[in-house]
Amino acid sequence: MKTAEKKTAATKSKTAAKTTASKTSSNGTVKAKPSAAEGLRELFVDSLKDIYWAEKALVKALPKMAKNATSQNLITAINDHLAVTQKQVARLEEVFKSVGEKAVAKKCDAMEGLIKEGESILEETESGPVRDAGIIAASQKIEHYEIATYGTLAAFATTLGEDDAVLLLEKTLAEEKEADVTLTEAAYNTINFDAKEEEED
């Protein structure tokens, strides 16, 4: 790395450290942003915006996963889930409408990270069973994040008395759990064993 680049990197590192320090007090508590949620309803709506962004990002990411998979069962599972995810995006718009809010997406750092991890797995594996196993692993991490998110949102909606939202969110939660089971079956039926055999060969 050149001297000028090192200085720039060091400056960025110090700036990031100062930013983090300014958000956290000496006793470890984090200072809230001016726009921070003050009530459960605000947190609920903020979380809806987060998962709305996440699902839309997933609609773009899933075709790439399918294109790089080799197992027909896995390709079918991914494409089926893509169709389901597109419906889930529309269903989230219904949730927003049911609680009297405009459907707005807010960048989801967690989903962005999970999608990037999935892309890294593609880069770090050769096409075949091993990559397929990696795609399943990345996909299940995404499913588990979504299961946790929709479970929480449904609980928030229940507490807030948003019955219509509860029904919509629980329907999506059931779909995410079903997708997780499908991926597990795909892994244990053939893909993980094929990947193991390839390694032994």
Side-chain angles (χ1 to χ4, degrees):
M1 188 183 285
K2 295 177 182 177
T3 305
E5 290 176 341
K6 284 182 180 178
K7 285 181 179 178
T8 302
T11 301
K12 284 182 180 177
S13 179
K14 285 179 183 176
T15 302
K18 283 180 181 177
T19 302
T20 303
S22 66
K23 291 179 183 176
T24 309
S25 66
S26 58
N27 66 358
T29 57
V30 178
K31 185 178 179 182
K33 295 178 180 178
S35 60
E38 293 181 5
L40 184 61
R41 179 169 291 278
E42 284 182 73
L43 180 59
F44 172 65
V45 172
D46 195 57
S47 299
L48 277 178
K49 292 176 181 178
D50 204 60
I51 195 65
Y52 186 48
W53 186 98
E55 294 289 22
K56 291 174 91 170
L58 197 53
V59 166
K60 295 177 183 177
L62 285 171
K64 187 174 183 180
M65 288 185 185
K67 191 174 181 180
N68 283 278
T70 54
S71 161
Q72 191 53 54
N73 285 345
L74 179 56
I75 293 168
T76 300
I78 293 170
N79 285 330
D80 286 349
H81 193 58
L82 172 59
V84 171
T85 303
Q86 289 167 331
K87 290 178 183 176
Q88 290 171 348
V89 170
R91 192 178 299 137
L92 276 171
E93 290 167 357
E94 288 182 53
V95 175
F96 276 108
K97 188 176 180 180
S98 76
V99 298
E101 295 285 340
K102 184 179 179 181
V104 177
K106 177 185 172 187
K107 185 179 175 183
C108 175
D109 293 332
M111 183 60 79
E112 182 183 46
L114 288 167
I115 289 172
K116 282 183 179 177
E117 184 176 344
E119 289 173 351
S120 294
I121 287 172
L122 296 180
E123 293 169 359
E124 293 165 8
T125 54
E126 293 290 344
S127 180
V130 175
R131 179 178 283 179
D132 286 350
I135 289 171
I136 288 178
S139 298
Q140 285 196 290
K141 287 181 183 181
I142 289 170
E143 290 307 323
H144 291 180
Y145 170 72
E146 290 183 312
I147 288 167
T149 300
Y150 282 110
T152 300
L153 285 169
F156 284 171
T158 299
T159 304
L160 293 166
E162 295 288 357
D163 296 340
D164 290 342
V166 172
L167 292 173
L168 293 165
L169 292 164
E170 285 184 343
K171 186 171 183 180
T172 298
L173 177 60
E175 289 172 348
E176 299 298 2
K177 288 179 178 178
E178 186 180 339
D180 184 47
V181 170
T182 300
L183 289 166
T184 298
E185 289 174 351
Y188 285 103
N189 285 346
T190 55
I191 292 171
N192 284 357
F193 297 104
D194 289 346
K196 184 175 180 291
E197 286 176 12
E198 189 170 276
E199 183 178 311
E200 290 172 350
D201 292 344

